[in-house]
Amino acid sequence: MQGPAEPLGLLVAAIRRAVKAMVTRRVGPLGLTPLQFWVLVGALEAPGTSQAELARRLRCDEPSVSRVVAALSRRGWLRASRHQGDRRRVMLALEPAGRTLARRLAPIAAEVRAEVEAPLDAVELEQVRKALARIAGHLQQVGGGATGSRPETQSRAARRRAGGDR
């Protein structure tokens, strides 16, 4: 007799931890946190994006991305500037050194993504992607998604870690 089905939340958490560990092993020696890595890769993959658009793309809350952007800007890798037509929008651009670094990081992102998808065939991959997107959308609507999280509920240490200040 088989035991109860493993809860989806636990499976997703295990995948998240494994991905974070893979990224940390590869970019930790460069002095980058996983979120800094994904922000740099995201800025390379979507040039001219806004901070809010990048947060949505990364399925991350805007305050965390804002802190990472500030940290990467201090290091001279990313530039954040107000949009000319809408001063509320913060536009992101890689600085030359950041572009060089992001190009170095892009193959790592491709490797990590490939490892995550490796056990699935094309049909399974599409099914899983659709199902997880539906779950993420539902949780965001009910207030449990990452982009709906409230920064005031995070500890100061968690906010510092998200910004990657070192």
Side-chain angles (χ1 to χ4, degrees), residues 12-96:
V12 170
I15 292 166
R16 183 180 187 279
R17 282 190 306 273
V19 169
K20 186 175 181 179
M22 281 193 305
V23 170
T24 299
R25 273 194 309 276
R26 288 171 170 89
V27 304
L30 300 174
L32 293 172
T33 66
L35 188 52
Q36 288 173 337
F37 165 78
W38 290 117
V39 166
L40 286 166
V41 169
L44 179 69
E45 292 175 344
T49 193
S50 74
Q51 188 170 285
E53 290 162 348
L54 185 58
R56 278 191 298 279
R57 182 169 182 219
L58 295 176
R59 294 189 179 264
C60 189
D61 62 280
E62 288 185 50
S64 292
V65 171
S66 176
R67 286 186 292 277
V68 167
V69 165
L72 295 173
S73 294
R74 286 190 299 273
R75 294 174 86 171
W77 292 333
L78 195 61
R79 181 178 64 253
S81 57
R82 296 284 173 189
H83 186 276
Q84 294 297 323
D86 182 355
R87 303 293 295 162
R88 294 170 298 175
R89 283 184 77 191
V90 176
M91 304 306 295
L92 303 177
L94 288 166
E95 296 287 5

Side-chain angles (χ1 to χ4, degrees), residues 96-149:
R99 182 172 312 287
T100 299
L101 177 59
R103 285 183 179 142
R104 185 174 160 199
L105 299 174
I108 298 170
E111 290 170 14
V112 169
R113 290 169 176 158
E115 282 299 322
V116 170
E117 297 174 357
L120 305 174
D121 65 32
V123 172
E124 290 171 321
L125 181 59
E126 190 57 29
Q127 290 170 338
V128 169
R129 186 175 279 124
K130 284 180 180 177
L132 289 174
R134 269 192 14 230
I135 292 168
H138 169 74
L139 292 176
Q140 186 175 352
Q141 283 181 337
V142 298
T147 55
S149 65

